[in-house]
Amino acid sequence: MRVLGIETSCDETGVAVYDTARPGPEGLRAHAIYSQIALHAEYGGVVPELASRDHVRKLLPLIRQTLAEAGLTTADLDGVAYTAGPGLVGALLVGAGVARSLAWALDLPAIGVHHMEGHLLAPLLEDPDLKPPFVALLVSGGHTQLVEVDAIGQYRLLGETLDDAAGEAFDKTAKLMGLPYPGGPQLAAIAETGRPGAYKFARPMTDRPGLDFSFSGLKTQVLLAWRNSDQSEATRADIARGFEDAVVDTLAIKCERALDAARCNTLVVAGGVGANKRLREKLAAIATKRGGRVCFPRPALCTDNGAMIAFAGALRLQAGEREGAAVTVLPRWDMASLPTVGSGRSGL
Ligand code: KG4
Ligand code: ZN
């Protein structure tokens, strides 16, 4: 089954074709991303209306480009998957409107995919042998969640952030030290040259039991440190390193606890912050110590992309899930409400 995947939940237009006849990375026939970073940079964050309008401009050309790269035409498609939520309502409606129209015109089944389920299943696209049960750490710009996965579509929330998401904390911290939007990857790059231990920040909420996170206080600690410093390049690097180590340690401590709680030794990491090198190294070391394994998608499939939507949609379409022709999006959508794949229920 060849499925066209469309992602427009925020500031990235992503399109891909996934072919279930070729399991694993080979199934990804083509994928393309158009990033709106330059468009939003001067505002220091995503402007929802501008995001929607840019998706309108870029989506159809990107679909044509992706199909051409895959050597396919619309006649070769067997289904259409699109991000139905959570995300910015206008941005979601662009993808949903185009996906539903294409499906209707081509007489194909269509499915609305949960963006975080897309992230969560991306590691399975890379490694077809990876199967539940496992614990997933979802770390993006909008979410920080630990999820127990018993089956595909059966998600139990073990813990989540009470305030800022991990990616949001990276972005806000970068901004307050004068780095341009989106600062997360840049902060991580600068941290490479910082001295470990030069600045030591708290590991929030690790001194008490539980699997929830809180990152907003860390940002304030950095602000104070930055204001009281000489604000040189070297100091910025030291502070960035101290901040990154604090976030990475905190995530790692909670991942270990979650694995213990779920009596499991397989950890799956997904979402934009999953591209962070130090986080990848730290979690790999923990997995080795426990005799377990940790799975990450390649960095390009950690951040928003169409491939994860094509893949997650293909799993559900293959299991016979179908939805009606209405264009429905859910800006807020609880992942625990999703049906288990193969249960015969529909998600939207
Ligand atoms: O999953 P994603 O692309 O979009 C959302 O669904 O939110 O995640 C984007 C987030 C941003 O906050 C970005 O700063 C962060 O992921 N991010 C990183 C890195 N690459 C992306 N944070 C830390 N280190 C990185 N290397
Ligand atoms: Zn995302």
Side-chain angles (χ1 to χ4, degrees):
M1 183 176 219
R2 296 191 196 104
V3 177
L4 178 73
I6 295 175
E7 154 65 34
T8 63
S9 66
C10 190
D11 59 349
E12 237 97 36
T13 319
V15 177
V17 179
Y18 188 79
D19 186 348
T20 58
R22 305 181 183 182
E26 288 295 301
L28 190 56
R29 296 287 297 266
H31 72 115
I33 281 278
Y34 176 81
S35 170
Q36 300 180 352
I37 283 176
L39 176 71
H40 301 291
E42 67 175 294
Y43 304 97
V46 178
V47 183
E49 181 59 22
L50 294 183
S52 312
R53 291 183 200 184
D54 212 44
H55 287 308
V56 170
R57 275 192 291 270
K58 299 297 177 351
L59 186 51
L60 286 176
L62 210 58
I63 292 173
R64 283 195 199 99
Q65 178 191 325
T66 309
L67 286 172
E69 277 170 21
L72 302 171
T73 70
T74 50
D76 298 311
L77 296 173
D78 304 298
V80 182
Y82 61 94
T83 305
L88 302 170
V89 67
L92 289 167
L93 279 168
V94 176
V98 168
R100 284 266 165 232
S101 309
L102 263 179
W104 188 77
L106 299 169
D107 198 18
L108 295 175
I111 186 119
V113 173
H114 190 293
H115 180 83
M116 296 312 292
E117 179 176 56
H119 275 304
L120 191 153
L121 297 180
L124 280 70
L125 184 165
E126 300 272 59
D127 179 357
D129 296 329
L130 174 61
K131 299 209 163 45
F134 54 75
V135 169
L137 172 69
L138 301 177
V139 270
S140 70
H143 291 79
T144 301
Q145 297 182 330
L146 277 162
V147 179
E148 189 175 340
V149 180
D150 295 321
I152 295 178
Q154 200 175 322
Y155 308 124
R156 205 164 68 80
L157 186 65
L158 298 174
E160 65 181 334
T161 184
L162 305 178
D163 40 59
D164 291 351
E168 190 180 1
F170 263 94
D171 294 338
K172 287 180 175 173
T173 302
K175 191 173 179 178
L176 67 85
M177 289 203 291
L179 297 172
Y181 159 88
Q186 300 201 40
L187 187 97
I190 287 175
E192 286 299 299
T193 60
R195 291 170 300 157
Y199 281 85
K200 181 110 174 115
F201 300 112
R203 274 64 176 148
M205 294 183 71
T206 54
D207 56 351
R208 65 196 99 149
L211 293 167
D212 286 334
F213 304 90
S214 166
F215 290 113
S216 71
L218 208 46
K219 182 183 61 200
T220 314
Q221 287 179 37
V222 170
L223 181 63
L224 290 175
W226 177 243
R227 276 196 187 148
N228 294 326
S229 77
D230 62 1
Q231 305 199 349
S232 66
E233 290 294 317
T235 302
R236 180 153 54 189
D238 286 344
I239 295 179
R241 178 62 194 260
F243 169 82
E244 184 180 53
D245 282 346
V247 174
V248 167
D249 276 356
T250 305
L251 292 171
I253 291 167
K254 299 283 166 120
C255 283
E256 278 216 84
R257 276 190 203 168
L259 289 169
D260 289 340
R263 293 175 200 285
C264 169
N265 253 339
T266 305
L267 179 68
V268 161
V269 183
V273 185
N276 185 274
K277 192 170 144 244
R278 212 162 291 284
L279 179 67
R280 294 168 87 98
E281 285 168 1
K282 179 102 190 176
L283 295 178
I286 287 175
T288 307
K289 184 188 79 185
R290 295 174 68 99
R293 63 187 293 218
V294 60
C295 310
F296 312 90
R298 68 189 99 152
L301 298 189
C302 282
T303 46
D304 289 349
N305 63 84
M308 67 186 195
I309 302 304
F311 179 71
L315 290 181
R316 291 192 174 275
L317 286 169
Q318 244 187 335
E321 272 183 51
R322 302 282 184 273
E323 283 145 16
V327 179
T328 308
V329 297
L330 297 172
R332 289 175 162 274
W333 190 2
D334 180 5
M335 212 165 58
S337 71
L338 291 175
T340 306
V341 169
S343 66
R345 283 200 300 128
S346 159
L348 270 181

